[in-house]
Amino acid sequence: MIRIHAALKYSCCLVLALIILLIPFEQKVDAHAYSAGYTTITLTQSALEMTYALDDLSVIELIGGDTNKNGKLEGGEFSAVKDRLESLLKENLLLLINSEPQEWTQVHSLTLEQESGTEKAVLKVSFPPVQATQSVSLTDHLYSQDSSANYVNLLTIHYGSSNTTQALSGKYRDWVMQLSDKDYAALPQNVQLTPEASDSTEVLSGWFSFFKLGMNHILSGYDHLLFLFSLLLARQTFKQYAAMITAFTIAHSITLTLTVLGIISLSPRIVEPAIALSICFVAVDNIIRKEVSYRWVLTFLFGLIHGMGFADILTEMQLPKSQLAVDLVSFNLGIEAVQVILIAILLPVLGLLHKWRFSRRAVLAGSSVAFLLGGVWLLQRLVFA
């Protein structure tokens, strides 16, 4: 018992020390933050219309402009960097027709708008029209020189009564399609369709891109991974592990789906600290209890919160209803694939660990580190939200 209290005492002291060091710095912290672009391409017989939106933090990362250092772009600051941003997007968002690079025929607007509580730079431009039997492609080179960047471009294409979606991320930054005679004949003359007006879709076109996006999302979600590690660290039977993993999968799948569908909505200012708190809670549970029981209940409850965190990258994409099921399932399967692989690797290692004479000390040490990191994330997300 003395060792337990000592571990908690040292962990709390370390958390407080790091908080004192971090408070003077203004920063926005998110352990699995994405730089996310949202592109919509609409094909008509008279033009190709493209809208591209990028959050203001990503704009600051790419070209600066935050002169007052408050982590946001304000009206005057945006005006000062607007031309540089336009040049950057023109250089890095490359649209080709029949493999020939295309220039913008018209810039409709480049504005700073608020969407879902986040400021975004929104560009609206026109390109020459795509003719029947021609191919059209988009390549995104933003952040290509920054290997540490976690960037994804969520792409939606409307053509006639059909639409398709694609997630451009990692090394896979290209989208291409061939416009058939039938597709071209179905294109409107110059009216932009909305996703609600579409009645058919290329259902399987982007499923693998969303599967990869799900894999990348959890691999970059260090808080989710630490939560999973903390759950597995405590000594348990195989039946307990199986029940816990199943509960987590079911719970986060429920809230992931409900959040993307818009049925539930909880602010990231609540979700992100709650995720960090879940790590601290499980770490303390590991420290104070040698034998854990009914952990699947705890895991299910916290899994509901983590599911809303998983959904953050998809909520603003306005996925077509006819393709929503495929994209959601693919994204979730990508998350599950990584979890299964990690669990398959960790369980044999943990099995050997718990046979070691100092296994309890190892659990205390690992849980103390998890509590430390979770505590730092929790305070950062509360203070700098």
Side-chain angles (χ1 to χ4, degrees):
M1 199 66 182
I2 294 174
R3 289 176 183 168
I4 293 173
H5 289 311
L8 281 173
K9 178 182 177 181
Y10 291 138
S11 297
C12 289
C13 289
L14 284 171
V15 170
L16 289 173
L18 283 175
I19 291 166
I20 292 170
L21 290 172
L22 287 167
I23 284 177
F25 299 97
E26 293 185 54
Q27 56 184 326
K28 180 176 176 67
V29 179
D30 188 342
H32 62 285
Y34 266 89
S35 290
Y38 299 88
T39 302
T40 301
I41 291 177
T42 302
L43 303 180
T44 71
Q45 292 188 10
S46 59
L48 184 153
E49 307 289 346
M50 185 178 83
T51 299
Y52 176 80
L54 184 68
D55 65 279
D56 61 344
L57 283 175
S58 298
V59 174
I60 293 170
E61 287 176 353
L62 290 167
I63 59 172
D66 181 21
T67 55
N68 61 6
K69 305 299 181 184
N70 67 348
K72 300 178 181 178
L73 269 184
E74 297 172 354
E77 294 172 331
F78 179 72
S79 297
V81 298
K82 182 176 176 180
D83 290 341
R84 273 194 289 156
L85 177 60
E86 183 176 316
S87 297
L88 181 75
L89 297 180
K90 190 172 186 178
E91 180 182 349
N92 287 278
L93 298 175
L94 306 180
L95 188 129
L96 293 82
I97 297 176
N98 270 3
S99 302
E100 291 292 330
Q102 302 297 308
E103 295 291 331
W104 300 348
T105 55
Q106 184 178 358
V107 179
H108 298 286
S109 61
L110 176 54
T111 55
L112 190 64
E113 301 176 9
Q114 186 164 21
E115 297 180 7
S116 304
T118 303
E119 294 286 345
K120 289 187 175 67
V122 181
L123 171 73
K124 297 181 180 181
V125 296
S126 295
F127 289 92
V130 182
Q131 303 300 322
T133 73
Q134 288 186 327
S135 65
V136 56
S137 64
L138 179 72
T139 301
D140 187 340
H141 290 302
L142 283 173
Y143 286 99
S144 59
Q145 303 302 316
D146 186 357
S147 58
S148 64
N150 208 3
Y151 172 73
V152 59
N153 185 347
L154 297 173
L155 175 65
T156 302
I157 305 96
H158 304 300
Y159 54 109
S161 60
S162 299
N163 53 66
T164 186
T165 54
Q166 194 88 8
L168 310 181
S169 62
K171 297 179 180 179
Y172 305 94
R173 298 286 202 90
D174 302 292
W175 162 80
V176 63
M177 72 171 289
Q178 186 87 25
L179 196 67
S180 68
D181 289 322
K182 181 179 178 182
D183 292 332
Y184 181 78
L187 296 183
Q189 183 60 37
N190 52 22
V191 178
Q192 296 187 30
L193 295 181
T194 62
E196 289 74 22
S198 303
D199 57 19
S200 64
T201 186
E202 300 293 332
V203 175
L204 297 179
S205 61
W207 77 268
F208 189 59
S209 69
F210 282 86
F211 179 83
K212 291 182 293 185
L213 182 62
M215 295 182 69
N216 291 333
H217 196 48
I218 189 169
L219 283 172
S220 62
Y222 304 119
D223 47 0
H224 298 294
L225 295 177
L226 185 60
F227 177 73
L228 186 62
F229 170 77
S230 301
L231 287 172
L232 297 173
L233 186 58
R235 187 186 189 105
Q236 297 167 77
T237 65
F238 179 80
K239 185 177 180 180
Q240 286 176 306
Y241 279 130
M244 181 179 65
I245 294 164
T246 302
F248 185 64
T249 299
I250 293 173
H252 78 65
S253 298
I254 291 172
T255 48
L256 167 64
T257 301
L258 293 178
T259 302
V260 175
L261 290 175
I263 296 174
I264 61 174
S265 178
L266 201 59
S267 169
R269 293 188 177 187
I270 298 174
V271 173
E272 295 303 324
I275 290 172
L277 181 63
S278 71
I279 298 170
C280 297
F281 193 99
V282 173
V284 170
D285 192 44
N286 290 344
I287 292 171
I288 64 177
R289 291 203 295 168
K290 280 189 176 181
E291 299 291 335
V292 298
S293 58
Y294 297 102
R295 177 156 278 190
W296 68 269
V297 178
L298 175 68
T299 305
F300 183 86
L301 294 175
F302 280 129
L304 295 173
I305 298 294
H306 282 252
M308 287 182 272
F310 286 138
D312 59 0
I313 196 66
L314 298 180
T315 51
E316 297 177 53
M317 193 179 177
Q318 296 182 336
L319 296 169
K321 292 180 180 179
S322 51
Q323 195 166 342
L324 188 58
V326 172
D327 290 343
L328 266 175
V329 170
S330 301
F331 182 79
N332 205 40
L333 285 176
I335 292 173
E336 297 308 322
V338 172
Q339 288 186 163
V340 168
I341 292 171
L342 291 176
I343 290 167
I345 294 171
L346 282 175
L347 286 187
V349 175
L350 291 173
L352 293 174
L353 171 67
H354 290 304
K355 292 178 181 179
W356 187 33
R357 56 182 296 194
F358 300 113
S359 62
R360 180 58 184 162
R361 293 183 183 179
V363 171
L364 290 175
S367 298
S368 297
V369 171
F371 177 78
L372 167 64
L373 292 173
V376 171
W377 286 335
L378 174 60
L379 267 295
Q380 286 177 330
R381 294 172 186 187
L382 290 173
V383 173
F384 301 114

